[in-house]
Structure formats: C-alpha cells, structure tokens
Amino acid sequence: MKILGLFLAIILTFASAAFAQDLQVPQNAVAGEGASISTSGSGSATFYLTGPGTSLKRDFKRGETISLSADDLAYAGRYTAALDGGGAQSFFVTAAKPAKLNFMARPSRVPVAHPDVISGVVFVLDRNDNLITTPTTVNFQLGIAGSAPTTRPLQSKNGIAWIKAGSGNREGAAQFTASVGDISAKRVVQQVASDPCNLRMKAQADGKNIQLQTEPIKDCSGNAVPDGTIVTFSESAGGRGRSTVDARVKHGVARATLPSVPGATLTVASGVVLGNEIRWSGGQ
Amino acid sequence: MAIHKSSTRSTVILLAIVIVLASAAPSILRAFADEPGAGTIQISTTGAGPREVEETTQKAIERQYTAAWKNMTAALKDNRADLLDAAFVGSMRDQLARRIEQQKKSGTSTRYADGAHQVNVVFYSPEGTALELRDTTEIEQQTLDGSKVIHSEKVRQQYLVIFTLVEDRWKVRIMQALPTS
C-alpha cells in the first residue's frame, strides 16, 4: 500500500512538472513592451493570463507561441500564465525606463532666508505609472531668476527621492525643478519677505495729535515686507492710560495718528519684532 | 469478562488522550496567539522617515490598508469596480478597474486569500501627505473561469505600496509586487 502511494506521488510530481514545462514564460519582461510565451504539446487549449491590470483568456493550439502585446503587460508586477488542462508558470514584469516624475513641492509660499522650509518629494515612474524601484539619480534645483540656482543630485530609494531645502535671500517666484535625464517637473515656490528687521518710526506733532510713520519696512535680507503686514503703534502715558493702533503697511510704510500726551512713551512693533521707542516731549 | 476488559482499556486510552491534549493545550493556544491571523495587518514604523509617523496616521493606515485588501479581494471575486473607490485612487484604481473589465468580458474572476501581513513604513513625506509601505504576505490566488478553478497557487509576496492623502482619507495610489530575490 505504501509503495503504491509513493508511486502515485512520483507520477503526480512528474505530471505537474510536465505541465509546467508546457509554458515557457519570459524571463526579463519589461512593462509596456510585448513578450511571448512558447507552448509545447498538441491539441487545442485555453490560455489564461492574470496580472496587474490584465486578465486574458485565449484559445490556442499547443505548440504555438502566444504573443502578448505592450498593453497586455502594461503594468509591473507578478503575472501568472495558466492552461485549462493544468500547468501554470509565473513571471515578473519590471518597470520600464523613467518617463514621468510625480513631484510634490511644499509649501507654495515661504519666507526668505529660512533653513529647511521647502520640501520636495519625487516618485520616479515609467510611462505607465509603474514605480521604478531601481536607484535612480534625481537632480533637484532651486533658484530665482537672476541668481545662480542651487543643485543637489540625490539617489531614489524604493522609487522615491526627497529633499529639504532652505529658501533663498531674495523674494520672488523660485523655480523648483526635479529632473532625471531629460525628464523634468517644475514647481513654483513663492519666496516672500520675512519678518521686518530694524523697524524704525518717527513722530511729528500735528495739533493735538502725533503723526507716526515708519521708515520703509524691510526684512533682514533687504526685501520690502508685503503691503498689508500689520504694524502696531502704542502710546503709554503712565497713569494717564495707553492707546494702541494697528496699521497695515501701505507702499512699504505704516502710519498712525495718536493723541499727543507729553511724557508718553511711543513704541512700534510688528509680530514679534520690536522697533524703536520715542519719549514724546509734546512736540518740542 | 472480555467485554469488561475491553471497555477498561478504552477508558484508559481515552483518559490518556485527554491528559495529553490537556497538557498540550496551553502551548497550542500560545502558538495560535503568537501567529498573526489571516488578513491581519501589523504596521511597524521603526526606521520610517523623514517624518515621524503619528499614532493617528499609523492607525488610519492600518485601517485603510486592511480595507484595501478586503475591497480588492471582493472586487476581483465579484467583478465589481465600484468597490474600489473607497480605498484606491489614481493609477492603482485604474489598473484594478481594467482587470475587472477584462475579467467581466472573459467570464473569469480571481479569488485572493491573504495571510498575515508584515508591514514596514519605509517613507513618510516631510509634509505628511504621502507614505510608502513594504508589505510581506502569503497569498493564495485562484483563477476561475465561471465556477471552474483553472489555477490555484500559494505564494509569499512582497509589495511596495504608496498611500496618498486624498481629501481627508489615505488611499492606495500604487501597489506593486516585487520580484522575489
């Protein structure tokens, strides 16, 4: 009885091996390129191919070669070829050469002269959106018109390359580019003036009031802060109260009118940046 | 007398079996507890970067990846592309929809049974909108023509999976089987 079981097992092993050899699947198939599967034996059979994005069923004559089109093998991954009478073989299709870069750049607006505020992530894809998992050099370039761009080549890992970069010193639309060979993807990062630097104001008597005006407000790199930036003027007169006015920057300067209180202290600030202080003597 | 002797022997054997099973039960139960069940997804974030994976994100990914496998399995079994939208987006959704369309035309279907998944987060983008996983799992795949099973196989497979944040939900954008080394 044991001998019979062993005999049957050997027959089954040989039979399945024989069925498997009915199909010769491609060894180095590439996504988006055609391939062929050769068959052996005689008689009609039905061929099935399942894989990413594909499910084929075809009648054919054993011994013929089955052609698979570029569209049949559009996607990278594992494919299984099977025959209805038994027998199956699996094979892998790898991604083709880089053809697309899915480039995410964040944020779209950054203050100038800040380290590591811009991030770029690139997914390296072939023309059918398959992820190219073999390491690929991605060149990242960040620069503003009129100044030399910063370039950094980085190697992709598991299909992804990423970078963190600092913003430049000049405001304006910075071109953020990722490229692999002659394929590139471009994003624009708007660099805006940073916080005000050396905030200064002057005061002038105007009847019973004081006219306050800042000097042109710039950041530490010399870029004019955008109009609309809030500047706070304050007047502190000891026991006689305190007045505060929030003014918006217009044409590079901010203005405010406060009541004239002799002996009061006038201050100016924008965000966390403090400007100069004036002790008001009553317009003298 | 003979009958009595035989029944005593049976009782002794039965008792011996019960004792052996009872003594082995704790180890069997422990073994089952250690072995993650079919379809369970355990995500490890060790070594993920450059951004640290938040606990809420890890839970969301676990939930969405479990849903992705469940929906993909059901969609390919019943040829229903409408089941894909909840968990897939972009080229991965298109790829599965195309396969379902071809299955419908040829009257075929695919049955998947996935085992436990060992998942590692290998990348989480600095701004927190894309995440890449490497998943190792054992799957059983059956190709059916009508109700006839054409082929059945069990394979250990590794996948690279890219999730992207779509509106307020993580969805699978790429899920690519890797060649076994």
Side-chain angles (χ1 to χ4, degrees):
Chain A
M1 198 66 178
K2 271 183 185 171
I3 294 167
L4 183 67
L6 188 67
F7 182 67
L8 279 171
I10 291 167
I11 286 178
L12 278 170
T13 308
F14 273 102
S16 63
F19 273 131
Q21 281 166 3
D22 276 355
L23 292 163
Q24 290 290 323
V25 293
Q27 295 302 308
N28 299 302
V30 175
E33 292 179 15
S36 57
I37 294 177
S38 51
T39 66
S40 57
S42 58
S44 305
T46 308
F47 166 78
Y48 298 87
L49 181 75
T50 53
T54 298
S55 180
L56 297 181
K57 178 186 171 186
R58 279 187 209 162
D59 291 327
F60 77 107
K61 286 195 169 54
R62 286 175 188 270
E64 282 179 353
T65 297
I66 299 163
S67 292
L68 302 174
S69 70
D71 200 42
D72 295 335
L73 302 177
Y75 298 107
R78 188 173 187 275
Y79 287 72
T80 302
L83 301 178
D84 61 347
Q89 286 278 298
S90 292
F91 60 99
F92 274 91
V93 171
T94 55
K97 62 177 187 174
K100 288 181 194 173
L101 300 177
N102 191 340
F103 184 25
M104 299 192 304
R106 297 279 192 287
S108 56
R109 194 177 165 91
V110 288
V112 297
H114 273 58
D116 292 343
V117 279
I118 302 169
S119 72
V121 177
V122 165
F123 298 93
V124 187
L125 307 168
D126 71 6
R127 64 181 168 163
N128 291 321
D129 291 329
N130 296 302
L131 195 66
I132 297 170
T133 52
T134 48
T136 308
T137 304
V138 178
N139 287 299
F140 289 97
Q141 199 173 67
L142 181 65
I144 201 159
S147 61
T150 315
T151 305
R152 263 177 76 185
L154 290 166
Q155 197 89 326
S156 69
K157 193 179 172 190
N158 295 319
I160 300 173
W162 68 277
I163 189 173
K164 269 205 141 194
S167 55
N169 287 333
R170 285 180 50 203
E171 64 179 339
Q175 303 288 319
F176 193 13
T177 311
S179 59
V180 172
D182 55 355
I183 311 147
S184 67
K186 199 176 281 181
R187 299 286 178 269
V188 173
V189 177
Q190 188 68 35
Q191 294 188 160
V192 294
S194 194
D195 292 330
C197 204
N198 298 321
L199 183 60
R200 294 194 65 79
M201 67 171 170
K202 54 189 177 188
Q204 203 176 352
D206 180 17
K208 289 182 177 177
N209 294 325
I210 314 166
Q211 294 294 338
L212 296 167
Q213 184 181 320
T214 64
E215 290 177 2
I217 305 173
K218 293 183 176 177
D219 67 10
C220 295
S221 304
N223 302 293
V225 301
D227 279 2
T229 303
I230 301 289
V231 174
T232 306
F233 296 94
S234 299
E235 181 184 42
S236 175
R240 285 169 289 167
R242 183 185 173 90
S243 305
T244 301
V245 172
D246 285 333
R248 288 179 187 275
V249 173
K250 195 174 175 188
H251 302 305
V253 295
R255 293 183 182 88
T257 304
L258 287 169
S260 175
V261 181
T265 303
L266 304 166
T267 56
V268 64
S270 181
V272 293
V273 178
L274 294 174
N276 64 320
E277 197 176 277
I278 297 171
R279 188 166 293 272
W280 185 245
S281 57
Q284 303 302 308
Chain B
M1 188 68 180
I3 292 167
H4 178 71
K5 210 172 180 180
S6 159
S7 74
T8 311
R9 202 165 60 193
S10 303
T11 312
V12 169
I13 291 169
L14 200 66
L15 270 172
I17 291 168
V18 167
I19 289 164
V20 166
L21 280 176
S23 62
S27 351
I28 293 167
L29 287 171
R30 233 187 349 262
F32 274 111
D34 289 347
E35 195 67 35
T40 12
I41 292 178
Q42 291 180 328
I43 293 186
S44 163
T45 57
T46 314
R51 186 186 172 114
E52 198 178 319
V53 182
E54 305 88 3
E55 202 184 321
T56 47
T57 304
Q58 185 180 344
K59 281 184 182 157
I61 292 292
E62 267 172 7
R63 194 172 52 242
Q64 278 301 94
Y65 195 42
T66 305
W69 270 94
K70 196 177 154 195
N71 293 4
M72 181 176 74
T73 302
L76 289 171
K77 182 170 112 0
D78 300 329
N79 287 333
R80 285 183 55 193
D82 61 298
L83 297 176
L84 301 171
D85 296 322
F88 297 94
V89 71
S91 64
M92 190 59 206
R93 196 228 166 263
D94 297 346
Q95 197 185 107
L96 287 168
R98 193 177 99 142
R99 182 168 169 183
I100 288 167
E101 196 54 41
Q102 291 185 5
Q103 285 190 167
K104 268 188 195 170
K105 277 183 192 160
S106 59
T108 59
S109 60
T110 312
R111 251 188 232 156
Y112 276 115
D114 56 320
H117 296 256
Q118 287 176 322
V119 183
N120 287 304
V121 178
V122 292
F123 176 79
Y124 185 28
S125 66
E127 80 299 340
T129 57
L131 193 141
E132 188 178 41
L133 311 173
R134 187 181 278 266
D135 175 19
T136 307
T137 184
E138 203 161 86
I139 51 168
E140 193 174 352
Q141 183 189 329
Q142 286 186 336
T143 307
L144 291 97
D145 190 344
S147 57
K148 183 183 170 190
V149 177
I150 300 300
H151 175 64
S152 183
E153 62 179 340
K154 203 170 184 179
V155 288
R156 192 167 174 77
Q157 186 59 62
Q158 208 171 70
Y159 293 92
L160 265 186
V161 184
I162 291 178
F163 272 92
T164 52
L165 200 54
V166 181
E167 288 160 8
D168 59 343
R169 191 172 283 208
W170 288 98
K171 291 191 179 182
V172 177
R173 190 171 285 275
I174 290 174
M175 188 170 165
Q176 203 166 294
L178 297 176
T180 41
S181 51

